[in-house]
mmCIF file of all heavy atoms in Angstrom:
data_model
loop_
_atom_site.group_PDB
_atom_site.id
_atom_site.type_symbol
_atom_site.label_atom_id
_atom_site.label_comp_id
_atom_site.label_asym_id
_atom_site.label_seq_id
_atom_site.Cartn_x
_atom_site.Cartn_y
_atom_site.Cartn_z
ATOM 1 N N VAL A 370 -150.551 -47.963 66.328
ATOM 2 C CA VAL A 370 -149.784 -49.180 66.613
ATOM 3 C C VAL A 370 -149.319 -49.153 68.072
ATOM 4 O O VAL A 370 -148.629 -48.221 68.485
ATOM 5 C CB VAL A 370 -148.535 -49.297 65.706
ATOM 6 C CG1 VAL A 370 -147.842 -50.636 65.938
ATOM 7 C CG2 VAL A 370 -148.903 -49.133 64.238
ATOM 8 N N LEU A 371 -149.701 -50.167 68.816
ATOM 9 C CA LEU A 371 -149.227 -50.279 70.193
ATOM 10 C C LEU A 371 -147.814 -50.841 70.175
ATOM 11 O O LEU A 371 -147.583 -51.947 69.698
ATOM 12 C CB LEU A 371 -150.146 -51.213 71.000
ATOM 13 C CG LEU A 371 -149.734 -51.437 72.456
ATOM 14 C CD1 LEU A 371 -149.988 -50.190 73.296
ATOM 15 C CD2 LEU A 371 -150.469 -52.628 73.060
ATOM 16 N N LEU A 372 -146.848 -50.070 70.695
ATOM 17 C CA LEU A 372 -145.450 -50.517 70.684
ATOM 18 C C LEU A 372 -145.019 -51.064 72.031
ATOM 19 O O LEU A 372 -144.097 -51.860 72.124
ATOM 20 C CB LEU A 372 -144.530 -49.351 70.292
ATOM 21 C CG LEU A 372 -144.693 -48.800 68.880
ATOM 22 C CD1 LEU A 372 -143.749 -47.616 68.659
ATOM 23 C CD2 LEU A 372 -144.437 -49.874 67.844
ATOM 24 N N ARG A 373 -145.638 -50.596 73.106
ATOM 25 C CA ARG A 373 -145.285 -51.104 74.434
ATOM 26 C C ARG A 373 -146.530 -51.093 75.298
ATOM 27 O O ARG A 373 -147.138 -50.044 75.478
ATOM 28 C CB ARG A 373 -144.199 -50.226 75.065
ATOM 29 C CG ARG A 373 -143.773 -50.692 76.458
ATOM 30 C CD ARG A 373 -142.566 -49.933 76.993
ATOM 31 N NE ARG A 373 -142.910 -48.602 77.445
ATOM 32 C CZ ARG A 373 -142.034 -47.712 77.928
ATOM 33 N NH1 ARG A 373 -140.752 -48.027 78.007
ATOM 34 N NH2 ARG A 373 -142.427 -46.521 78.307
ATOM 35 N N PRO A 374 -146.942 -52.258 75.828
ATOM 36 C CA PRO A 374 -148.100 -52.255 76.725
ATOM 37 C C PRO A 374 -147.721 -51.602 78.047
ATOM 38 O O PRO A 374 -146.568 -51.656 78.461
ATOM 39 C CB PRO A 374 -148.415 -53.742 76.912
ATOM 40 C CG PRO A 374 -147.167 -54.471 76.570
ATOM 41 C CD PRO A 374 -146.351 -53.590 75.669
ATOM 42 N N GLY A 375 -148.674 -50.959 78.700
ATOM 43 C CA GLY A 375 -148.354 -50.269 79.956
ATOM 44 C C GLY A 375 -149.605 -49.908 80.715
ATOM 45 O O GLY A 375 -150.644 -50.563 80.561
ATOM 46 N N GLY A 376 -149.503 -48.849 81.498
ATOM 47 C CA GLY A 376 -150.568 -48.444 82.417
ATOM 48 C C GLY A 376 -151.933 -48.225 81.767
ATOM 49 O O GLY A 376 -152.959 -48.501 82.368
ATOM 50 N N VAL A 377 -151.950 -47.711 80.539
ATOM 51 C CA VAL A 377 -153.217 -47.603 79.803
ATOM 52 C C VAL A 377 -153.319 -48.880 78.965
ATOM 53 O O VAL A 377 -152.421 -49.179 78.187
ATOM 54 C CB VAL A 377 -153.240 -46.348 78.906
ATOM 55 C CG1 VAL A 377 -154.476 -46.341 78.027
ATOM 56 C CG2 VAL A 377 -153.177 -45.080 79.757
ATOM 57 N N THR A 378 -154.402 -49.630 79.147
ATOM 58 C CA THR A 378 -154.453 -50.967 78.539
ATOM 59 C C THR A 378 -154.916 -50.943 77.082
ATOM 60 O O THR A 378 -155.541 -49.984 76.619
ATOM 61 C CB THR A 378 -155.398 -51.904 79.321
ATOM 62 O OG1 THR A 378 -156.733 -51.381 79.211
ATOM 63 C CG2 THR A 378 -155.008 -51.999 80.783
ATOM 64 N N LEU A 379 -154.615 -52.043 76.373
ATOM 65 C CA LEU A 379 -155.031 -52.203 74.978
ATOM 66 C C LEU A 379 -156.555 -52.119 74.861
ATOM 67 O O LEU A 379 -157.083 -51.489 73.944
ATOM 68 C CB LEU A 379 -154.518 -53.558 74.454
ATOM 69 C CG LEU A 379 -154.868 -53.923 73.012
ATOM 70 C CD1 LEU A 379 -154.308 -52.898 72.032
ATOM 71 C CD2 LEU A 379 -154.340 -55.312 72.672
ATOM 72 N N ASP A 380 -157.263 -52.717 75.826
ATOM 73 C CA ASP A 380 -158.738 -52.655 75.806
ATOM 74 C C ASP A 380 -159.215 -51.207 75.801
ATOM 75 O O ASP A 380 -160.108 -50.835 75.039
ATOM 76 C CB ASP A 380 -159.331 -53.333 77.051
ATOM 77 C CG ASP A 380 -158.988 -54.811 77.093
ATOM 78 O OD1 ASP A 380 -158.643 -55.356 76.036
ATOM 79 O OD2 ASP A 380 -159.067 -55.406 78.184
ATOM 80 N N GLU A 381 -158.615 -50.393 76.680
ATOM 81 C CA GLU A 381 -159.027 -48.989 76.763
ATOM 82 C C GLU A 381 -158.759 -48.266 75.451
ATOM 83 O O GLU A 381 -159.580 -47.475 74.975
ATOM 84 C CB GLU A 381 -158.254 -48.279 77.886
ATOM 85 C CG GLU A 381 -158.698 -48.677 79.281
ATOM 86 C CD GLU A 381 -157.820 -48.061 80.357
ATOM 87 O OE1 GLU A 381 -156.636 -48.432 80.454
ATOM 88 O OE2 GLU A 381 -158.320 -47.201 81.100
ATOM 89 N N LEU A 382 -157.579 -48.550 74.860
ATOM 90 C CA LEU A 382 -157.226 -47.880 73.609
ATOM 91 C C LEU A 382 -158.174 -48.279 72.494
ATOM 92 O O LEU A 382 -158.659 -47.438 71.743
ATOM 93 C CB LEU A 382 -155.778 -48.205 73.227
ATOM 94 C CG LEU A 382 -154.720 -47.639 74.186
ATOM 95 C CD1 LEU A 382 -153.346 -48.216 73.872
ATOM 96 C CD2 LEU A 382 -154.685 -46.107 74.096
ATOM 97 N N GLU A 383 -158.475 -49.579 72.403
ATOM 98 C CA GLU A 383 -159.366 -50.056 71.339
ATOM 99 C C GLU A 383 -160.774 -49.510 71.503
ATOM 100 O O GLU A 383 -161.457 -49.219 70.526
ATOM 101 C CB GLU A 383 -159.384 -51.594 71.321
ATOM 102 C CG GLU A 383 -158.147 -52.165 70.654
ATOM 103 C CD GLU A 383 -158.066 -53.679 70.744
ATOM 104 O OE1 GLU A 383 -158.694 -54.259 71.669
ATOM 105 O OE2 GLU A 383 -157.368 -54.268 69.919
ATOM 106 N N MET A 384 -161.170 -49.364 72.743
ATOM 107 C CA MET A 384 -162.513 -48.848 73.004
ATOM 108 C C MET A 384 -162.694 -47.463 72.375
ATOM 109 O O MET A 384 -163.733 -47.141 71.847
ATOM 110 C CB MET A 384 -162.741 -48.776 74.513
ATOM 111 C CG MET A 384 -164.181 -48.511 74.860
ATOM 112 S SD MET A 384 -164.552 -48.485 76.611
ATOM 113 C CE MET A 384 -163.052 -48.738 77.460
ATOM 114 N N HIS A 385 -161.625 -46.662 72.426
ATOM 115 C CA HIS A 385 -161.746 -45.291 71.938
ATOM 116 C C HIS A 385 -161.253 -45.091 70.514
ATOM 117 O O HIS A 385 -161.672 -44.165 69.828
ATOM 118 C CB HIS A 385 -160.992 -44.345 72.878
ATOM 119 C CG HIS A 385 -161.551 -44.342 74.254
ATOM 120 N ND1 HIS A 385 -162.767 -43.765 74.566
ATOM 121 C CD2 HIS A 385 -161.103 -44.897 75.406
ATOM 122 C CE1 HIS A 385 -163.023 -43.947 75.842
ATOM 123 N NE2 HIS A 385 -162.037 -44.636 76.384
ATOM 124 N N LEU A 386 -160.346 -45.970 70.051
ATOM 125 C CA LEU A 386 -159.742 -45.750 68.730
ATOM 126 C C LEU A 386 -160.266 -46.701 67.669
ATOM 127 O O LEU A 386 -160.050 -46.490 66.482
ATOM 128 C CB LEU A 386 -158.216 -45.934 68.799
ATOM 129 C CG LEU A 386 -157.421 -44.970 69.667
ATOM 130 C CD1 LEU A 386 -155.945 -45.365 69.635
ATOM 131 C CD2 LEU A 386 -157.587 -43.532 69.194
ATOM 132 N N GLY A 387 -160.921 -47.784 68.082
ATOM 133 C CA GLY A 387 -161.237 -48.829 67.121
ATOM 134 C C GLY A 387 -159.999 -49.674 66.911
ATOM 135 O O GLY A 387 -159.331 -50.040 67.879
ATOM 136 N N GLU A 388 -159.632 -49.922 65.635
ATOM 137 C CA GLU A 388 -158.522 -50.833 65.366
ATOM 138 C C GLU A 388 -157.186 -50.304 65.884
ATOM 139 O O GLU A 388 -156.807 -49.158 65.640
ATOM 140 C CB GLU A 388 -158.407 -51.070 63.855
ATOM 141 C CG GLU A 388 -157.410 -52.163 63.532
ATOM 142 C CD GLU A 388 -157.130 -52.312 62.038
ATOM 143 O OE1 GLU A 388 -157.498 -51.415 61.257
ATOM 144 O OE2 GLU A 388 -156.509 -53.325 61.676
ATOM 145 N N VAL A 389 -156.479 -51.159 66.620
ATOM 146 C CA VAL A 389 -155.119 -50.844 67.061
ATOM 147 C C VAL A 389 -154.243 -52.047 66.711
ATOM 148 O O VAL A 389 -154.551 -53.179 67.098
ATOM 149 C CB VAL A 389 -155.064 -50.611 68.593
ATOM 150 C CG1 VAL A 389 -153.625 -50.385 69.052
ATOM 151 C CG2 VAL A 389 -155.943 -49.427 69.002
#
Side-chain angles (χ1 to χ4, degrees):
V370 185
L371 179 72
L372 295 178
R373 180 172 76 182
V377 173
T378 65
L379 179 60
D380 297 341
E381 287 174 293
L382 294 170
E383 282 174 337
M384 191 177 2
H385 298 288
L386 296 178
E388 188 187 14
V389 176

